[in-house]
Amino acid sequence: QVLLRESGGGLVQAGGSLRLSCLASGSTFSRYGMGWFRQAPGKEREFVAGITWSGGRTYYADSVKGRFTISRDNAKNTVSLQMNSLNPEDTAVYYCAATNYEPTIPRLYSFWGQGTQVTVSS
């Protein structure tokens, strides 16, 4: 089992940037594919970005491609999401998650953090 804790959320103006971090504990972090998801009020949770256990491959939702970058540091048990050119549509609770499978399959994520709020003002 792996425990996940997100940080770095907050309020930012449109066009600004934020960097989210997720610290993992409790198991061998490098075994897991990692992902970031988000859920806006009244909407379903959606996949944002994923990264393989080695960091060799990354995946993005079309809505964030070119603006967001996912990365990981297995030595520090962290996965990060750099978010640039934010717009109000990016407002959501952002969740870090871990999977034993390919990070592109949302239903196979087993472990989830509590989430961190990102609010983008216009």
Side-chain angles (χ1 to χ4, degrees), residues 43-63:
K43 296 187 177 181
E44 294 187 355
R45 187 167 57 193
E46 64 174 352
F47 173 82
V48 174
I51 188 167
T52 54
W53 67 271
S54 67
R57 284 174 290 159
T58 57
Y59 307 90
Y60 298 93
D62 288 343
S63 59

Side-chain angles (χ1 to χ4, degrees), residues 4-9 18-24 36 71 77-83 94-96 115-116:
L4 303 171
R5 185 175 66 199
E6 304 94 339
S7 62
L18 278 177
R19 184 177 181 87
L20 305 183
S21 293
C22 175
L23 177 64
W36 286 94
S71 61
N77 287 3
T78 59
V79 60
S80 299
L81 185 69
Q82 177 66 41
M83 305 185 295
Y94 283 71
Y95 298 91
C96 170
T116 185

Side-chain angles (χ1 to χ4, degrees), residues 79-90:
V79 60
S80 299
L81 185 69
Q82 177 66 41
M83 305 185 295
N84 299 327
S85 302
L86 286 161
N87 58 63
E89 290 69 38
D90 296 315

Side-chain angles (χ1 to χ4, degrees), residues 7 11-12 24 27 34 37 41-42 45 51 53 57 59 101 119:
S7 62
L11 174 64
V12 64
S27 186
M34 299 298 296
F37 293 75
R45 187 167 57 193
I51 188 167
W53 67 271
R57 284 174 290 159
Y59 307 90
Y101 303 93
T119 303

